[in-house]
Amino acid sequence: VIYYGPGPTYCPSDYLLTDNTYVIRGEPEESLKELCWALDNGSDLKSVLGLSYRHNGKIRENGFRPLIEQIDSLPFQAIGLIEGEKYKYCNPKLGAKPVASAITSRNCPYQCIYCVPCSLSFARELEYKRFHNNKKPPVGRRSAKNVIKEIEMLARNGYRAITFHDDLFIMGKERTIEICRGIEKYSLRWGCATRADTIDDDVVKAMSRAGCQYIDLGIESFDQRILEDIRKDMDVECIERSIKIIKRHGIKAKLNILLGASPLETVETIQYSMRKVKEVDADQVMYNIANPFPGTELYKLAKQ
């Protein structure tokens, strides 16, 4: 059994219960390939970086697996392994199917104290911080041309919609617009998540023309003191301006509100954020309860 993800990366010993269990920490692709090769050939596992395992009853932890710098070198998702409709992903926000998933970048540079990004990114972040004095890993971005080639492959195989699972889809104005121009020719419906401070009129206009149906915004709160306390690094005026731009171009604005991430949160601040959600006329809203996940700054604060 091979484990991977934030939990096994954060505490491998919780998963290494027998000599037949293995944990891949952080960056998985090369480690998984090398582990499978070593197990198949009966080779020594010492050379597999990013691996934790048991040997003669004792846990061994191999060294850090460097991040893949050239993400374009990775193969596209193996959609040929998905047979029939049973396992095909569905996203009701897109109104078309079948729906594919895609990721165009890795990791997020911001310092929000509560944040667990997508599990793949968070596992990398936990491992990188462990070996780099608690620093966040650098952001990796696929080139626009590489992303467009995958989109072409998905469209050619009958997919009519895409959910982009990047922690931060808009990374660089020119790159984002180039990706949108590549999507445009395939008449796909798609959605993504990003920060409000990455939104500008040119980018959202290009996204709308390319078939973007919704943009997920991590708002968390409309109280400026709380945004500063959770190190969101954003102001309320920017949030309100971004929502207006999104709606002006016919894209649905989905807001994510996080309750209880700061000790400054009160019944009154929660009610204020709820009133503001109505005031800005959000198309969709998701209210979440802050959870101090192991490995986050919020977890350390909660323990203290």
Side-chain angles (χ1 to χ4, degrees):
V1 178
I2 302 172
Y3 294 101
Y4 169 71
T9 298
Y10 185 75
C11 192
S13 60
D14 286 350
Y15 296 80
L16 298 174
L17 304 181
T18 72
D19 285 358
N20 200 34
T21 55
Y22 308 87
V23 164
I24 291 177
R25 311 183 318 267
E27 191 85 296
E29 288 89 354
E30 295 294 337
S31 297
L32 179 60
K33 183 174 67 173
E34 291 176 13
L35 173 60
C36 290
W37 187 90
L39 293 174
D40 197 41
N41 291 276
S43 304
D44 197 316
L45 302 179
K46 290 181 180 179
S47 63
V48 182
L49 296 177
L51 177 68
S52 298
Y53 61 103
R54 278 189 175 274
H55 181 73
N56 293 331
K58 294 183 179 180
I59 293 177
R60 289 184 175 179
E61 292 200 310
N62 296 348
F64 174 74
R65 166 72 64 181
L67 302 182
I68 297 173
E69 295 183 1
Q70 299 298 325
I71 305 178
D72 284 6
S73 66
L74 294 171
F76 296 148
Q77 52 185 300
I79 60 172
L81 298 179
I82 303 174
E83 298 179 359
E85 297 295 319
K86 184 175 180 180
Y87 300 105
K88 288 189 177 178
Y89 171 66
C90 179
N91 184 341
K93 290 187 289 187
L94 291 174
K97 60 181 182 180
V99 183
S101 295
I103 299 177
T104 77
S105 63
R106 295 180 165 189
N107 309 321
C108 174
Y110 293 92
Q111 303 293 329
C112 307
I113 66 171
Y114 56 86
C115 188
V116 173
C118 84
S119 60
L120 302 176
S121 288
F122 195 48
R124 292 188 192 93
E125 181 176 317
L126 291 170
E127 180 75 353
Y128 193 89
K129 283 182 172 181
R130 177 184 173 191
F131 288 89
H132 293 84
N133 197 27
N134 208 37
K135 293 181 180 179
K136 293 193 72 168
V139 172
R141 299 189 299 176
R142 294 169 58 191
S143 68
K145 290 182 179 178
N146 183 258
V147 174
I148 292 167
K149 283 183 179 178
E150 183 173 34
I151 291 167
E152 178 185 11
M153 180 268 292
L154 293 170
R156 190 172 60 246
N157 282 273
Y159 286 90
R160 307 313 313 149
I162 300 175
T163 301
F164 288 102
H165 289 285
D166 300 55
D167 302 313
L168 194 60
F169 178 77
I170 301 176
M171 284 197 181
K173 182 173 180 176
E174 293 182 5
R175 173 181 176 271
T176 305
I177 291 176
E178 186 178 349
I179 291 173
C180 289
R181 287 173 178 162
I183 298 174
E184 200 173 329
K185 68 181 73 173
Y186 299 107
S187 300
L188 296 169
R189 299 167 71 91
W190 56 281
C192 65
T194 195
R195 282 173 57 97
D197 55 4
T198 66
I199 296 292
D200 78 6
D201 200 73
D202 293 337
V203 170
V204 178
K205 182 179 179 180
M207 294 171 72
S208 178
R209 290 184 58 181
C212 182
Q213 303 298 304
Y214 69 87
I215 298 177
D216 249 311
L217 296 175
I219 303 303
E220 321 320 344
S221 175
F222 279 94
D223 187 298
Q224 188 62 49
R225 299 175 309 140
I226 290 176
L227 293 179
E228 293 169 2
D229 190 56
I230 63 177
R231 298 208 293 271
K232 186 68 181 179
D233 194 23
M234 192 180 301
D235 60 70
V236 173
E237 290 78 12
C238 171
I239 293 170
E240 294 177 354
R241 183 171 61 251
S242 298
I243 294 169
K244 289 179 181 178
I245 293 173
I246 292 169
K247 292 179 68 65
R248 183 164 68 240
H249 288 284
I251 299 175
K252 291 182 178 179
K254 183 206 165 188
L255 310 186
N256 296 291
I257 304 294
L258 188 63
L259 308 179
S262 165
L264 300 177
E265 190 86 273
T266 64
V267 172
E268 288 73 26
T269 62
I270 291 173
Q271 291 175 340
Y272 177 73
S273 288
M274 296 176 76
R275 288 197 301 271
K276 290 293 290 184
V277 167
K278 292 184 177 181
E279 184 181 306
V280 300
D281 194 25
D283 297 286
Q284 299 169 348
V285 60
M286 180 182 290
Y287 292 100
N288 302 284
I289 305 298
N291 195 328
F293 284 102
T296 63
E297 186 68 21
L298 182 60
Y299 179 79
K300 296 176 184 177
L301 293 170
K303 293 278 282 188
Q304 290 171 4

